[in-house]
Amino acid sequence: DPVARTGVVEALIRIGGAEVATAVAPLLTHEDPGVRRHVAECLGALGREAAAEQVQALSGLASSDLDKEVRRKSKEALMKLGVRTYIPEVLGSGDALPPGMLAAMDGGSGCK
């Protein structure tokens, strides 16, 4: 249920910390792309300190996941975590950064 997932992600972001990042990381390989998208979003919002160990897994999703939205969310998460590799690719179509992205890239939480 996408609505329930969104609520869970928001709750996990509020809890924060490396423990949350570690707990949700295995779901990056879940068969449901909606789950993978939400986990990538969560990891990006948790921040650099909390999600540093998941950068490699997010990079794998960003480059090779079969679902376009999973790739996009993974790239956005990596940018929030300070990995700027994907900025040109995400913005290549002329799209603007999502709200809060620049602040997040400069050390903000990106959460509202």
Side-chain angles (χ1 to χ4, degrees):
D1 175 15
V3 174
R5 278 189 218 134
T6 300
V8 169
V9 167
E10 290 171 359
L12 291 170
I13 291 167
R14 281 192 296 276
I15 294 168
E19 296 83 10
V20 170
T22 301
V24 300
L27 295 173
L28 288 171
T29 59
H30 195 277
E31 65 184 37
D32 183 340
V35 171
R36 295 192 307 274
R37 282 192 299 269
H38 279 91
V39 172
E41 181 180 3
C42 179
L43 291 171
L46 288 172
R48 286 177 244 195
E49 262 185 60
E53 292 184 18
Q54 282 69 42
V55 167
Q56 185 174 358
L58 282 168
S59 295
L61 286 181
S63 63
S64 63
D65 197 275
L66 297 177
D67 186 272
K68 178 181 177 180
E69 286 301 305
V70 171
R71 291 191 307 271
R72 185 176 67 82
K73 287 291 186 183
S74 298
K75 291 170 188 177
E76 289 175 6
L78 287 164
M79 289 189 307
K80 287 181 180 181
L81 297 176
V83 179
R84 296 175 183 251
T85 306
Y86 294 104
I87 293 173
E89 189 175 330
V90 171
L91 299 180
S93 63
D95 295 338
L97 281 170
M101 181 69 72
L102 287 176
M105 289 169 49
D106 291 327
S109 70
C111 302
K112 296 185 183 201

